[in-house]
Amino acid sequence: MVRTIKIFDTTLRDGEQSPGASLTPEAKLLVARQLEKLGVDIIEAGFPISSPGDFNSVQAVARLVKKCEVAALARALPKDIEAALRALESARKPRLHLFLATSEIHRRYKLGKAKSEIVRLAVNAVKQARQTLDNIEFSPEDASRTEPEFLLEVAQAVAAAGARTLNIPDTVGYAVPEEFGALIAFLRQRLGREIAISVHCHNDLGLSVANSLAAIAAGADQVEATVNGIGERAGNASLEEIAVTLHIRRDYWKCRTNIKLSELYRASRLVSIQTGLVVQRNKAVVGANAFKHEAGIHQDGILKDRRTYEIIEPSLIGVPESELVLGKHSGRHALNARLVKLGYRFREDELVRIFERFKDLADKKKEVTDADLMALMEETIAPLSETYTLEYLSTVAGTNTIPMATVRLKKGGETSQAISNGDGPVDAACKAIDQITGLKARLSNYRINAVTGGRDALGEVTLLINVEGREIPGRGVSTDIVEASVKAYLNAVNRYFQHQAGSAGEETETPSL
Ligand code: KIV
Ligand code: ZN
């Protein structure tokens, strides 16, 4: 019998807690839309009590998402529960995710509460939430370091109070697969089918996916994961690794998920671009090297039959082909047909705009590949409500020349121009942008990547700017790497302003329970 494992995605909640990651409200909606396309069962949209910005984002995701459940996180406190339930009001399929720490170390040092008090708080929280909502998930935080008998006591109490799902977090990534699997088997055996069992594994020892799989083998019904494995500290279990493992080794696991695997690559790219967290090249499933073969003996095998050294076909997860697909004589219909094949659908007016950008690219670059198109689309479909747009850029650089840049930016109906010199053309242009925006930003990370091979390749720049200690990602593409760099810098600057606007007057509460 093949079991269906539910995928609870927490990219927008635990994922957003990754050091250095922060998503704008618009980016959260883009990610939520992609997660829905990906087929996750539940989207955890945020932690409403933690800030007005988070509250609004959960509310916006709840309004947008139609097919999946939308979850909001709350501590076992009345005000948290009220805020989360309010944020979920417009969700078609709401889920409230309650958590309270149960391990000895958390009880003693963080909460200062006895076991009986923990059980009482947990039960009261579930009962309060159940007055409004049926679909309650309860997480005993730090469950893997909790005494199993006490964990069972809490689980039985919350199940009796009406919780539908018991989530077992390995909060600090301490568990090992055999032990974690045994814990899940113990709970399953003692709880029977009265409550669904979920797991939520962190990656501090690099075991989050292995622990999640061990839990599935032991009878878990749901796993919590994030795209690219982002999350607190070393991150959470990677959604794509779990989904692809269950698929490729279905002979062994005899489990399936509702994940549409061909949307994985696009989801990975979107999350990476929007959070600024670069995917390591050798990351399983979605890393840039995952389908590259370097050793001669491997290349020889691949040419004879790909299956000799490749267990995942790139097309399975939606990796675009790099062959020539379009050129400057291709028309709008050809472009549209290609975009549809890549999974993009646009209205006629949007297509007109995209076609202009494509023509522009095809003029500079003879061969436009799927990978180029995807890079272009990622820029086009991830628009910030741009504060500043680049109207004009001219740079001077070379040996025995002082690098100079002239930049013209448009904001609303107003155009401003600045000229600056710098250490190089990119530095000069960034300084000119700073003169116009008044922002003092420091470039803290800069990467350039050629989307395809060839001297005319599209350059993709991803960078981080640091403004008053906060890191903000930016991305730009162009066949001209100075232009790509300036676009990326401006993209980060716009994100900064958008964040400022979105969180104006925001008081962030530091959750203490
Ligand atoms: O890691 C953790 O314990 C959590 C809980 C809130 C589920 O993220
Ligand atoms: Zn977590």
Side-chain angles (χ1 to χ4, degrees):
M1 221 248 310
V2 174
R3 283 193 298 139
T4 298
I5 306 298
K6 280 194 183 175
I7 300 290
F8 176 113
D9 179 276
T10 183
T11 307
L12 294 175
R13 199 277 299 168
D14 213 321
E16 217 226 353
Q17 288 172 222
S18 303
S22 110
L23 290 159
T24 62
E26 285 184 2
K28 285 188 184 170
L29 292 182
L30 284 171
V31 172
R33 196 173 292 140
Q34 179 60 25
L35 291 173
E36 191 166 32
K37 257 180 146 182
L38 184 61
V40 306
D41 299 280
I42 302 115
I43 296 176
E44 185 166 48
F47 188 6
I49 197 77
S50 66
S51 72
D54 234 44
F55 182 94
N56 293 339
S57 290
V58 174
Q59 212 171 34
V61 172
R63 287 195 188 113
L64 175 84
V65 167
K66 305 279 180 291
K67 288 191 259 173
C68 346
E69 290 180 30
V70 176
L73 185 70
R75 292 168 298 181
L77 291 176
K79 61 178 180 163
D80 277 42
I81 297 170
E82 282 155 26
L85 290 173
R86 253 186 300 118
L88 288 173
E89 261 161 18
S90 338
R92 286 202 183 176
K93 300 180 192 170
R95 174 184 291 219
L96 183 74
H97 181 188
L98 291 169
F99 75 101
L100 177 62
T102 52
S103 66
E104 212 237 320
I105 199 160
H106 279 236
R107 291 194 313 263
R108 184 194 292 243
Y109 297 106
K110 187 176 88 169
L111 304 175
K113 294 198 189 309
K115 285 180 175 173
S116 56
E117 183 66 356
I118 298 289
V119 177
R120 193 185 65 78
L121 283 171
V123 167
N124 285 352
V126 175
K127 284 189 176 159
Q128 181 195 341
R130 275 300 305 263
Q131 285 170 11
T132 313
L133 191 66
D134 225 35
N135 193 1
I136 309 297
E137 170 169 328
F138 183 86
S139 288
E141 193 191 7
D142 205 18
S144 55
R145 292 195 297 171
T146 301
E147 306 89 317
E149 285 299 335
F150 180 56
L151 190 60
L152 178 66
E153 183 186 336
V154 173
Q156 284 168 330
V158 294
R164 295 272 186 257
T165 306
L166 171 73
N167 179 46
I168 301 298
D170 180 25
T171 302
V172 290
Y174 184 76
V176 290
E178 286 76 9
E179 171 198 56
F180 196 60
L183 177 65
I184 300 305
F186 162 74
L187 291 169
R188 172 96 286 164
Q189 198 242 328
R190 299 294 294 272
L191 294 168
R193 288 264 146 213
E194 65 179 298
I195 191 163
I197 297 184
S198 166
V199 292
H200 173 112
C201 298
H202 278 272
N203 206 31
D204 301 64
L205 295 175
L207 292 172
S208 57
V209 171
N211 284 332
S212 304
L213 292 169
I216 289 173
D221 309 287
Q222 169 181 301
V223 285
E224 304 199 351
T226 57
V227 173
N228 297 336
I230 63 171
E232 277 281 4
R233 307 179 310 281
N236 289 67
S238 138
L239 187 157
E240 57 279 2
E241 290 176 26
I242 293 175
V244 171
T245 301
L246 291 180
H247 173 77
I248 295 287
R249 293 305 313 275
R250 53 196 180 278
D251 60 318
Y252 179 83
W253 296 103
K254 302 201 170 31
C255 289
R256 61 174 295 283
T257 66
N258 292 320
I259 294 297
K260 194 170 169 200
L261 300 176
S262 59
E263 290 293 333
L264 280 173
Y265 184 70
R266 211 191 317 276
S268 165
R269 294 275 308 167
L270 181 67
V271 168
S272 170
I273 290 166
Q274 295 299 329
T275 56
L277 297 174
V278 175
V279 175
Q280 85 196 48
R281 292 189 75 82
N282 62 332
K283 158 115 176 43
V285 181
V286 289
N289 287 356
F291 302 105
K292 292 215 166 100
H293 304 275
E294 191 67 27
I297 203 162
H298 287 205
Q299 288 173 351
D300 180 54
I302 284 283
L303 288 173
K304 289 177 176 144
D305 188 322
R306 297 197 76 80
R307 289 170 301 178
T308 51
Y309 286 102
E310 202 168 85
I311 59 162
I312 311 168
E313 278 182 35
S315 60
L316 179 78
I317 62 156
V319 173
E321 293 159 25
S322 281
E323 295 135 38
L324 162 68
V325 285
L326 295 170
K328 71 184 208 183
H329 300 298
S330 307
R332 211 159 73 209
H333 290 299
L335 173 68
N336 193 28
R338 203 67 211 169
L339 291 175
V340 168
K341 188 168 174 254
L342 287 173
Y344 299 103
R345 282 178 194 278
F346 294 103
R347 291 192 315 265
E348 201 47 41
D349 57 317
E350 289 171 324
L351 202 59
V352 170
R353 247 182 337 112
I354 290 165
F355 187 61
E356 268 171 34
R357 301 205 52 198
F358 161 73
K359 278 285 177 198
D360 215 31
L361 177 64
D363 265 345
K364 294 178 187 150
K365 192 175 185 298
K366 273 207 313 280
E367 304 178 344
V368 179
T369 66
D370 280 353
D372 291 325
L373 279 182
M374 207 152 157
L376 204 65
M377 287 310 99
E378 284 163 350
E379 198 179 54
T380 315
I381 59 166
L384 291 167
S385 34
E386 301 233 307
T387 312
Y388 292 98
T389 48
L390 182 65
E391 281 249 303
Y392 172 83
L393 168 71
S394 164
T395 55
V396 180
T399 36
N400 304 324
T401 314
I402 296 176
M404 299 268 288
T406 307
V407 173
R408 199 179 309 136
L409 301 182
K410 195 164 172 192
K411 181 183 173 192
E414 245 178 68
T415 303
S416 319
Q417 180 166 307
I419 301 174
S420 177
N421 53 19
D423 290 338
V426 173
D427 184 46
C430 294
K431 283 189 173 135
I433 290 176
D434 289 352
Q435 278 180 34
I436 297 173
T437 62
L439 198 69
K440 283 264 156 296
R442 190 169 54 79
L443 198 61
S444 59
N445 194 307
Y446 176 94
R447 278 164 184 258
I448 183 149
N449 174 43
V451 173
T452 51
R455 280 199 222 164
D456 60 354
L458 203 53
E460 177 189 50
V461 172
T462 48
L463 49 74
L464 288 174
I465 61 168
N466 188 305
V467 187
E468 291 153 9
R470 226 180 64 217
E471 307 245 79
I472 301 133
R475 176 183 179 270
V477 289
S478 171
T479 48
D480 174 337
I481 57 169
V482 176
E483 186 179 282
S485 309
V486 172
K487 279 179 164 181
Y489 187 81
L490 196 57
N491 179 252
V493 166
N494 279 331
R495 271 174 209 258
Y496 172 80
F497 284 118
Q498 204 188 39
H499 236 285
Q500 290 297 97
S503 58
E506 193 167 287
E507 262 174 52
T508 303
E509 173 163 339
T510 308
S512 62
L513 193 67

